[in-house]
Amino acid sequence: MDTSPLAQPAIEIRDLSKSFYKLTAVNHISFEVKEGEFFAFLGENGAGKSTTIHMLSGQLTRDSGEIKIFGESIDQHMNEISRSIGIVFQKSVLDRPFTVLENLKSRAALYGIHGEEFKKRVSELSPFLDLDPILRRPLSKLSGGQLRRADIARALLHDPKILILDEPTTGLDPKTRKAIWQIIDHLRKTEKLTVFLTTHYMEETADADHIIILDHGEIAAEGTPHDLKNRFAEDHITFYHAEEKDLRRLGRPFERLSPGVYRMPVSNSKEAARLIADHPDVFQDFEITKGKMDDVFLAITGKPMTEDEK
């Protein structure tokens, strides 16, 4: 995967805006997604993530701004560009009355994929998506995870270079979400895809190359997960079997979690290392916990994710 500064941008967004009546859904945002990158849009429901995706895919007109895919404007080259993009929408767009195979055939036909070429592509996708057991089953008989696998197969039939995932695991149980992400990780490695994810699940951004946090249609922060955690989330030292009188010698605030267990915030690992070096006798039984993306989101937006969004 080439995510160096010289890598060709797969997606270029400049000054993108969209309003619905008096509601500004996307407010003059600009960013790039490098070819081969795992890029994540993180934000609450209604932050503007899906609106951006629909403009990017040409399904929604924009009020202002420019969108380019591999250097080509979607205004002049959308037909060609659409062959480079596969999209897994938040809600399945497959036809419920039909089988998975019938849905895939119908989708493939739009790209001129028929006969042996279609069979070959399905056989390529089947092993890691586990399609064989569900190909002849109607969508109404599928579980949530099986339906998601069919959605991903649909998005990949035409061998796109960019896979857009709009809240791909919403409503799925943790076990199924993990299975879906194992599939996506496999695709990134084997298909050399550029992956554009929108999500409100913090843990799904852990391996992203670049994250943008949207808040009310605006870019509130961006960077790698490591950079964002360093900038916006405190690390913590948890002490076990500790005495308050010993912790007071460190000259820092701390809180008692339970008898003998205390937690102390530190700015970063460097500060924690300095404390350990200066007071080795205090650090007998402890662990250092890095700040989490939940902490980052709270620090940036001033609010945690709600239970509905988690």
Side-chain angles (χ1 to χ4, degrees), residues 1-10 12 14 32-35 37 209-210:
M1 175 189 309
D2 183 4
T3 59
S4 68
L6 297 178
Q8 179 189 20
E12 297 174 78
R14 294 287 176 267
E32 290 185 356
V33 180
K34 296 183 178 68
E35 186 172 6
E37 189 171 54
D209 297 304
H210 196 81

Side-chain angles (χ1 to χ4, degrees), residues 57 69-70 77-86 107-113 117 155-163 193:
S57 60
I69 307 295
F70 293 111
H77 304 280
M78 195 62 220
N79 287 338
E80 296 88 344
I81 287 171
S82 63
R83 298 191 67 91
S84 299
I85 301 175
R107 178 64 177 176
L110 296 177
Y111 294 94
I113 303 172
E117 184 182 3
L156 295 174
L157 276 173
H158 57 295
D159 197 19
K161 295 179 181 179
I162 300 171
L163 179 62
L193 283 169

Side-chain angles (χ1 to χ4, degrees), residues 58-125:
Q59 298 188 344
L60 184 65
T61 58
R62 59 195 185 278
D63 295 339
S64 67
E66 184 179 30
I67 301 174
K68 291 183 178 180
I69 307 295
F70 293 111
E72 301 289 346
S73 170
I74 67 169
D75 296 329
Q76 286 82 39
H77 304 280
M78 195 62 220
N79 287 338
E80 296 88 344
I81 287 171
S82 63
R83 298 191 67 91
S84 299
I85 301 175
I87 306 178
V88 178
F89 292 100
Q90 186 172 352
K91 294 182 179 180
S92 179
V93 294
L94 297 172
D95 292 322
R96 292 274 174 175
F98 302 110
T99 66
V100 172
L101 184 61
E102 289 168 337
N103 269 281
L104 295 182
K105 280 184 176 179
S106 174
R107 178 64 177 176
L110 296 177
Y111 294 94
I113 303 172
H114 305 279
E116 292 302 316
E117 184 182 3
F118 171 73
K119 291 180 182 178
K120 180 175 181 293
R121 186 57 178 156
V122 171
S123 69
E124 291 171 348
L125 296 173

